[in-house]
Amino acid sequence: SFNKSILDPISNRYFFIPNPVKKIIKGAKKNTINIRLHPNYPKRGTRQLKTTNEFYLSKEDVASFKDDNYYRLMECLNFKKEKDNYIFYSKDITSFKKKGKKIIHWLPSSQNLVNVEVLMPNNKFIKGFAESTTTKLKQGDIIQFERFGFCRLDKKLKNKLIFWFAHK
């Protein structure tokens, strides 16, 4: 908890989707989403994600979805799961709060995503995609992959970034 109190204010936020699965949300329109680099420090700026109706979601989140329940892609849109389909419901957070079950992270399949590997404490790597803005990070930078944990960029390779996991 002491480490988190030190890292939290200095760590910008990014989306990382471990074990990504591509899903189509029927009825979702093209959109441009601006998300703060840090929720408490608006002067740090934003990152921009451009969406279509195709998204990458984590395999674990997809496995947790139940039929006829509503879910939210953070800062983006709400959808309903109906059997094997995902149906656009609305954009606003207010309608989600009335019916929604879970807010999840996502990445658009329409952008240049970055291959990422995160070395975990058990010496195994978790592979996935991160948003393209992570390519601007410098070796040694500490960030927070939202809903995943604090990580330090260890290596920038030609075709991927390698991070070390610090903690939740």
Side-chain angles (χ1 to χ4, degrees), residues 36-49:
R36 288 183 181 174
L37 282 168
H38 194 290
N40 300 332
Y41 302 98
K43 290 183 180 177
R44 289 192 192 170
T46 61
R47 55 207 209 267
Q48 190 175 83
L49 299 171

Side-chain angles (χ1 to χ4, degrees), residues 118-164:
V118 180
L119 180 62
M120 301 303 290
N122 64 2
N123 207 30
K124 293 185 179 178
F125 283 95
I126 293 179
K127 297 178 181 182
F129 294 139
E131 57 192 82
S132 60
T133 51
T134 57
T135 60
K136 296 176 184 174
L137 296 171
K138 296 178 187 139
Q139 197 168 320
D141 283 351
I142 298 172
I143 63 161
Q144 183 182 8
F145 281 134
E146 296 194 63
R147 286 184 60 223
F148 185 81
F150 293 95
C151 297
R152 180 177 135 320
L153 179 56
D154 184 57
K155 291 181 188 169
K156 290 179 84 167
L157 302 175
K158 191 178 205 177
N159 61 345
K160 68 181 165 187
L161 300 177
I162 299 176
F163 288 87
W164 286 6

Side-chain angles (χ1 to χ4, degrees), residues 21-151:
V21 177
K22 188 187 281 189
K23 293 293 179 181
I24 293 173
I25 298 181
K26 294 179 180 179
K29 307 279 189 238
K30 288 184 180 182
N31 203 359
T32 300
I33 310 293
N34 291 299
I35 305 170
R36 288 183 181 174
L37 282 168
H38 194 290
N40 300 332
Y41 302 98
K43 290 183 180 177
R44 289 192 192 170
T46 61
R47 55 207 209 267
Q48 190 175 83
L49 299 171
K50 294 183 181 202
T51 69
T52 62
N53 66 342
E54 293 183 359
F55 298 87
Y56 282 108
L57 311 177
S58 78
K59 184 178 179 181
E60 293 77 16
D61 282 333
V62 170
S64 74
F65 296 159
K66 300 206 180 333
D67 284 345
D68 299 318
N69 283 332
Y70 294 87
Y71 300 93
R72 180 166 178 81
L73 302 185
M74 183 181 179
E75 304 289 339
C76 185
L77 61 81
N78 307 315
F79 68 93
K80 181 179 181 182
K81 182 180 186 292
E82 292 180 358
K83 298 187 181 182
D84 292 329
N85 297 310
Y86 301 96
I87 312 298
F88 172 81
Y89 175 66
S90 68
K91 285 186 180 181
D92 67 294
I93 189 77
T94 306
S95 64
F96 172 78
K97 287 181 178 179
K98 292 177 185 173
K99 299 180 180 184
K101 296 294 181 190
K102 186 177 185 181
I103 298 175
I104 63 167
H105 290 86
W106 53 277
L107 284 170
S109 68
S110 60
Q111 277 189 258
N112 296 328
L113 301 178
V114 179
N115 288 311
V116 166
E117 293 184 10
V118 180
L119 180 62
M120 301 303 290
N122 64 2
N123 207 30
K124 293 185 179 178
F125 283 95
I126 293 179
K127 297 178 181 182
F129 294 139
E131 57 192 82
S132 60
T133 51
T134 57
T135 60
K136 296 176 184 174
L137 296 171
K138 296 178 187 139
Q139 197 168 320
D141 283 351
I142 298 172
I143 63 161
Q144 183 182 8
F145 281 134
E146 296 194 63
R147 286 184 60 223
F148 185 81
F150 293 95
C151 297

